[in-house]
Amino acid sequence: MRIHVKSSWPLIMTYPVKETCQQLDLTYLHAALREEDNEQTLRRMLTVLRANQYMTIRDVLQSSWQELSALRQMGVASCQLLGSLLERITVQPDLLVDEAVAQREQKLHSIKERLREMGLVK
């Protein structure tokens, strides 16, 4: 995991994840999981993040370690795993998605946003 100079800085400053990956739902982080990682920790982390309105990788990257660690039930293990996953997708964005799938996801994301604005979907 990278050394964090300021815990109040947005994570995007430490993890410059490609734009195509930022738009993806948090469940895509599962693709960057390794055998030595604890899958239960990932599930717990995703549950906590979703409960606090973090739905996409971009939402997480726009927050800071300070904000994330203040979330109820977001412990040290979850923060460490999140840092490792963000590091992996920064270095190897193809772990999550190829360009064709990313473009399709971007279109779907914008459609979902429009539906939310219209009040048709939560």
Side-chain angles (χ1 to χ4, degrees), residues 45-62:
M45 176 188 67
L46 293 176
T47 302
V48 169
L49 290 171
R50 282 194 197 102
N52 288 280
Q53 304 303 311
Y54 294 91
M55 301 299 175
T56 63
I57 294 172
R58 173 178 282 130
D59 295 338
V60 172
L61 291 170
Q62 290 175 342

Side-chain angles (χ1 to χ4, degrees), residues 44-45 47-48 52 68-76 78:
R44 186 174 37 248
M45 176 188 67
T47 302
V48 169
N52 288 280
L68 292 174
S69 63
L71 298 177
R72 189 167 191 268
Q73 296 184 349
M74 186 73 166
V76 173
S78 295

Side-chain angles (χ1 to χ4, degrees), residues 23 25 28 104-122:
Q23 307 230 352
D25 187 82
Y28 278 82
R104 187 178 78 227
E105 285 292 326
Q106 271 183 316
K107 289 177 184 176
L108 283 174
H109 180 74
S110 64
I111 291 169
K112 287 178 185 177
E113 284 301 312
R114 286 187 208 138
L115 290 172
R116 280 189 195 103
E117 289 171 4
M118 294 172 17
L120 299 173
V121 180
K122 289 185 180 184

